[in-house]
Amino acid sequence: MNTRTTASQSSGPLAGRNALVTGASRGIGAACALRLAEAGADVAVLGRSLPDLDKVSAQIRALGRRALVVGCDVTVPEQIEAACTRVENDLGPVDVLVNNAGGPRFQAAIMDVRPEGWQKVFDLNLTSTLLFCQRLGRGMAERRTGTIVNVSSIAVHAPWPAIAPYGAAKSGIRHLTQALAAELGPSGVRVTSVSPAWIDTDINTAYTRDPELSDAALDLVPLDRWGEPDDVAHAVVFLASPLSGFITGIDLPIDGGFSVSMPRSTRRILNRAAPAT
Ligand SMILES: NC(=O)c1ccc[n+]([C@@H]2O[C@H](COP(=O)([O-])OP(=O)(O)OC[C@H]3O[C@@H](n4cnc5c(N)ncnc54)[C@H](OP(=O)(O)O)[C@@H]3O)[C@@H](O)[C@H]2O)c1
């Protein structure tokens, strides 16, 4: 059914809006889907793992919002096209697009990266983001309303060893976001990105399960804790909603201060060395 929810049926800054979140089966994407629903949106959740998507959609319905589960491998352009058509038919026009699906896929030194591996990382992170933006951004521009939030990475701000293809793809997302914001701004469509780091999801279990590695990671984080998926989701809701109505083209780091600080050990030394006044 393609009827639009009205603001009277839900409340919150996204009442009456339809959202689409890619990679919504777990981690940051699942949190975004739930927080967008909490903010009043009906939400289409996309990914490959249908049982996990079903669990997220049940939580969205428990919040009183409509949820649509759509199986989609975002590395396959035909599946992106089919998924967007299904969402438009079954939920309605998409007002909020969150391009979240992604990940590093593998670790390798730049000298050892094979072209196929490079391409896979770009397909998953950057090309999928481009295709969703193109497919759904057109309708947003025609309707002169809509917001797109792309999930980049702090790897853009601070190059990470052994995942250069990922950092390059996420840097592409950041540039795409800025360029698209400039192109779609006159049509009333806002485009932003978030750059998470040190969020406690499956991507980081190698760190979070090992106390020594976890402590080494937190050495770099002034807030001295792992981020929660909700830390990203709340920022995504803000950027997706009219609460940020005069913001476009920005990239918002969500990293506990990592990108603007020094390691804890250095901070301690400098604090100790600070002369009294
Ligand atoms: N966690 C962090 O600290 C951190 C830092 C920087 C950036 N990020 C970015 O945040 C985003 C979410 O990551 P996360 O930490 O939440 O990781 P995660 O828990 O591993 O979740 C990744 C999500 O992407 C989906 N996905 C992966 N490949 C897909 C494909 N081919 N087609 C469709 N969906 C696919 C997965 O769903 P299925 O397996 O069901 O398909 C899953 O829902 C990613 O773009 C990641 O690069 C995370």
Side-chain angles (χ1 to χ4, degrees):
M1 199 169 65
N2 191 358
T3 49
R4 290 209 135 202
T5 325
T6 60
S8 62
Q9 290 171 290
S10 65
S11 59
L14 290 170
R17 304 282 168 194
N18 294 324
L20 184 160
V21 182
T22 69
S25 57
R26 60 178 186 273
I28 292 169
C32 287
L34 290 174
R35 296 304 154 218
L36 288 167
E38 217 170 54
D42 295 327
V43 188
V45 288
L46 274 63
R48 295 167 304 173
S49 165
L50 295 179
D52 288 340
L53 291 172
D54 282 336
K55 284 182 203 153
V56 176
S57 71
Q59 290 176 273
I60 292 170
R61 290 192 189 105
L63 291 167
R65 307 305 338 133
R66 293 187 301 159
L68 179 69
V69 169
V70 184
C72 177
D73 181 336
V74 302
T75 64
V76 184
E78 295 75 20
Q79 291 194 25
I80 292 179
E81 173 59 34
C84 291
T85 302
R86 166 109 194 272
V87 173
E88 288 173 336
N89 288 341
D90 291 4
L91 205 64
V94 174
D95 307 292
V96 173
L97 165 64
V98 181
N99 281 306
N100 165 77
R105 290 198 69 146
F106 62 85
Q107 298 202 351
I110 294 173
M111 290 312 207
D112 298 328
V113 172
R114 291 194 295 267
E116 314 86 79
W118 179 270
Q119 191 60 51
K120 278 182 183 167
V121 176
F122 269 65
D123 287 347
L124 173 59
N125 292 280
L126 182 56
T127 308
S128 67
T129 299
L130 168 72
L131 295 179
F132 275 103
C133 286
Q134 286 180 323
R135 176 62 177 75
L136 297 172
R138 269 195 199 96
M140 291 180 184
E142 279 165 21
R143 296 189 302 280
R144 302 195 64 78
T145 181
T147 49
I148 299 173
V149 184
N150 298 320
V151 179
S152 182
S153 167
I154 215 70
V156 166
H157 301 260
W160 230 260
I163 52 168
Y166 175 70
K170 292 295 196 184
S171 297
I173 288 179
R174 194 170 169 208
H175 186 89
L176 177 69
T177 299
Q178 292 171 334
L180 203 55
E183 291 186 12
L184 295 185
S187 306
V189 179
R190 297 187 300 107
V191 191
T192 54
S193 61
V194 290
S195 282
W198 308 118
I199 309 297
D200 187 0
T201 66
D202 288 358
I203 280 183
N204 284 319
T205 45
Y207 289 95
T208 52
R209 281 188 193 152
D210 179 329
E212 208 176 321
L213 275 183
S214 177
D215 190 57
L218 291 184
D219 187 53
L220 304 167
V221 182
L223 287 181
D224 207 24
R225 68 168 174 87
W226 281 88
E228 295 297 328
D230 268 350
D231 289 318
V232 183
H234 289 304
V236 167
V237 168
F238 169 70
L239 291 172
S241 77
L243 295 171
S244 60
F246 201 49
I247 294 175
T248 195
I250 64 154
D251 178 70
L252 181 60
I254 302 169
D255 62 353
F258 163 74
S259 58
V260 291
S261 189
M262 304 169 186
R264 178 171 57 200
S265 41
T266 312
R267 279 180 275 125
R268 274 192 194 137
I269 292 166
L270 291 177
N271 277 338
R272 236 182 284 139
T277 55

